[in-house]
Amino acid sequence: MLAADGTPLKRSLARALRVQKMRALMLIAPLLIFVLVTFIAPIVDMLFRSVENQIVSNTLPRTVASLSDWDASQEGAPGEEVFESFYYDLFIAAEAKEHTRLGSRLNYEQTGLSSLFRGSGRSVDDVGEDQIDALEDLNEAWEDEAFWYTLMTGGENSAPTAEPLDMQRQLLETLTGDNFSGDVGFLPGSAITRILPRTVNQYSAFALFTVFADEDVVAEEEPWESVKVALIQELQTGADLSEYAGPGAEELRAAQEMLADQPQIAFKDAFIEMDEDWGENANWRTIQTYSPELTSGYFLNAVDMQKGIDGPEARPENQQIYIMLFKRTLFMSLVICGSCILLGYPVAYLLSNLPMRTANLLMILVLLPFWTSLLVRTSAWKVMLQQQGVINDVLVWLGLVDDFGRLVMINNQFGTIVAMTHILLPFMILPMYSVMSTIPPSYVRAARSLGATQWTAFWRVYFPQSVPGIGAGSILVFILAIGYYITPEIVGGTTGTFISNRIAYHISSSLNWGLAAALGTILLAAVLILYWAYDRIVGIDNVKLG
C-alpha cells in the first residue's frame, strides 16, 4: 500500500512518527539540559570526589614512584632516594603554592602533616646551601642569569630539543591545573641535555614558571636553587664533560673539579634537620597509602575506620563519631516520623470529615507555617524551650517545676524532635488528608449498620483505606528529616545534631569534600535501602498523594 506521495505507507508512517518524537524531544530538551547541568552533574561530581585522590600523585609524582618499592612495615623513614625525589617535587610544589593543599589533604589522615608541609615549603630553599655557596664562590658566572640561559640553550650553533620542555610543561599543568602552552623564549640545547638531563629538566620547569606564572623573561631571572642542586648532583656523580665544548665548558669542568672535594648533598639529613617529623615512619606511610589516584579512604573514615598497613582497621575509640551519628540520624528521623503520624492523623481525619467550607478554613491553619521563614520558626522554639523560656516559666508559675530545677529541653535530642515535628507536621497532614477525603463515608455507615462498633468500623474499614496516605506522608517526612540541617544546627546542641550537620561542616569549614561526599553517598544508600524495604513490606504502588 502506498501513501499519497507514492512512498510505502509503512515507511511514511515511520517517518511521521520520528518527526513527532523529535519535535517532542526538542520541547523537553531545555528542561532536560537544565536538570542535567544544575542537578545531575553536581551530584555525580560530588560522588566522584568520595573516591578521587589525584592530589598526591599529581603533586609528588617522583616521590610516589620512589615510595612504590618501600616497605612501610619497616621502622623509620625511607631511604635517600625517596628524599631526593621528594626534594624536587616539594620545591616545584612550593613555588606553585600547591604544597599547602597537599598538606591539608593528608592532614585528614595524619594529624600534623599540614603544618609539616607548610613549614618545609618555606625551608626547602636551604637544602644544599653549602654546596651552592661553594659553587658561586668559585665563579661569579654561576650567579649570572645570562650565563645560565646561554649554558642551557647551548649557544647559537646548538641543535635545540623540545622534549624536556614538553615533559615539564605536562607536569606543571597536572600540578596546577593551569595552561602552560605557548612560546617560552627558551629551548634546551641537545648537547647539554645529554650531559646534564636533570639540570635541564629543572631549568625547563623554572623557565615555564617564570614566563607563565611570574610573567618575566627567562634570560633575566636567576634560576631556582633546585636547578643548582641538580647541577651539583650531576657533576658530583661523574657527568662526562670530556667531549663537551659548548658555552660554559670551562666553568663546568672547574666546578666539577671543585665539587669533587665537597660532601654530597644528604637530602634525608637535610629534611630531618628541617623538621624531625620527616623521620617518622607514620608520615611516610600515610603518603604511600594515599598515593593511588582512587582511594577507599574517605568511605573508611565515614564508618570510623582507616587504611592501615595490612588493610582497613578501626580508628581509635576517641575518633569514632560517624557510626554514632548515622544511628542517631536514623533513630531520630523515625521518632519524628512517628510523632508526625500520631499528631497528624487526627487532624487529617477531622479535616476530611468536616464540611468543605469549615475544612478549607482550618486548612489555612495547617498551611500557615509555610508562610513563615524556617529560621524564624526554629528560633521561636529556641525561645520557647530554653531554661528561661516560655514553657519553663509557665511550669514554674503553675508550681509543677521548681525554679532551680527547670527542665533542659533545648540543645539536645528532645529539642530537635519537638522543633522538627512542628516543622514537618504539615508534610504529613497534607498527604493523609488528600487520601482520607476520597474515602466514602458510606463505608463506615455500612459497617455500623451491620453491627460493628465505632472502633471496629474505624479500624477494620476506614483505617486500611487511609494507609496509602500514611505511607506517602511517612516517606516524605522521613526523607526530609534524615537530611535536615538548619533545625538540628540551631536547637540540637551536641546530642541532637544529625549526620547532615557534619556533612555541612566538612563542606564549608574543614573543606574535606571527599569525606563529605562519602558521608552523603552512604546516607543516600541508606535511604534507598529503606525505600526498597518499604516497597517490599508495604508496596510503593499503595502510596497515594490523593
CSV table of all heavy atoms in Angstrom, one decimal, residues 101 164 178 209 263 280 442 444 487:
chain,number,residue,atom,x,y,z
A,101,ARG,N,47.9,22.7,49.9
A,101,ARG,CA,46.7,21.9,49.6
A,101,ARG,C,47.0,20.4,49.8
A,101,ARG,O,46.1,19.7,50.4
A,101,ARG,CB,46.3,22.1,48.1
A,101,ARG,CG,45.8,23.5,47.8
A,101,ARG,CD,45.4,23.6,46.3
A,101,ARG,NE,44.3,22.7,46.0
A,101,ARG,CZ,44.4,21.7,45.2
A,101,ARG,NH1,45.6,21.4,44.6
A,101,ARG,NH2,43.4,20.9,44.9
A,164,PRO,N,62.6,18.0,27.0
A,164,PRO,CA,62.5,18.4,28.4
A,164,PRO,C,61.4,19.5,28.7
A,164,PRO,O,60.7,19.4,29.7
A,164,PRO,CB,63.9,18.9,28.7
A,164,PRO,CG,64.8,18.4,27.6
A,164,PRO,CD,63.9,18.3,26.4
A,178,ASP,N,46.7,24.8,35.5
A,178,ASP,CA,46.8,26.0,34.6
A,178,ASP,C,47.3,25.6,33.2
A,178,ASP,O,47.9,24.5,33.1
A,178,ASP,CB,47.7,27.1,35.2
A,178,ASP,CG,47.1,27.6,36.6
A,178,ASP,OD1,45.9,27.5,36.7
A,178,ASP,OD2,47.9,28.0,37.4
A,209,PHE,N,57.7,28.3,34.5
A,209,PHE,CA,57.0,29.0,35.6
A,209,PHE,C,57.3,30.5,35.5
A,209,PHE,O,56.5,31.4,35.8
A,209,PHE,CB,57.5,28.4,36.9
A,209,PHE,CG,56.6,28.7,38.1
A,209,PHE,CD1,55.5,27.9,38.3
A,209,PHE,CD2,56.8,29.8,38.9
A,209,PHE,CE1,54.6,28.2,39.4
A,209,PHE,CE2,56.0,30.1,39.9
A,209,PHE,CZ,54.9,29.2,40.2
A,263,PRO,N,81.3,17.6,50.2
A,263,PRO,CA,80.4,16.4,50.5
A,263,PRO,C,79.1,16.5,49.7
A,263,PRO,O,78.6,17.5,49.3
A,263,PRO,CB,80.1,16.7,52.0
A,263,PRO,CG,80.3,18.1,52.2
A,263,PRO,CD,81.4,18.5,51.3
A,280,GLU,N,59.7,10.3,60.9
A,280,GLU,CA,58.7,9.4,61.4
A,280,GLU,C,58.1,8.5,60.3
A,280,GLU,O,57.8,9.0,59.2
A,280,GLU,CB,57.5,10.2,62.0
A,280,GLU,CG,58.0,11.1,63.2
A,280,GLU,CD,58.3,10.2,64.4
A,280,GLU,OE1,57.7,9.1,64.5
A,280,GLU,OE2,59.1,10.6,65.3
A,442,SER,N,-19.9,6.5,53.4
A,442,SER,CA,-20.9,5.4,53.4
A,442,SER,C,-20.3,4.1,53.8
A,442,SER,O,-21.1,3.2,54.3
A,442,SER,CB,-21.6,5.3,52.0
A,442,SER,OG,-20.6,5.0,51.0
A,444,VAL,N,-18.2,3.4,56.3
A,444,VAL,CA,-18.2,3.3,57.7
A,444,VAL,C,-19.7,3.2,58.2
A,444,VAL,O,-20.0,2.4,59.1
A,444,VAL,CB,-17.6,4.5,58.4
A,444,VAL,CG1,-17.7,4.5,59.9
A,444,VAL,CG2,-16.1,4.6,58.0
A,487,THR,N,17.5,23.1,61.5
A,487,THR,CA,16.9,23.0,62.8
A,487,THR,C,17.8,22.2,63.8
A,487,THR,O,18.0,22.7,64.9
A,487,THR,CB,15.5,22.2,62.7
A,487,THR,OG1,14.7,23.0,61.8
A,487,THR,CG2,14.9,22.1,64.0
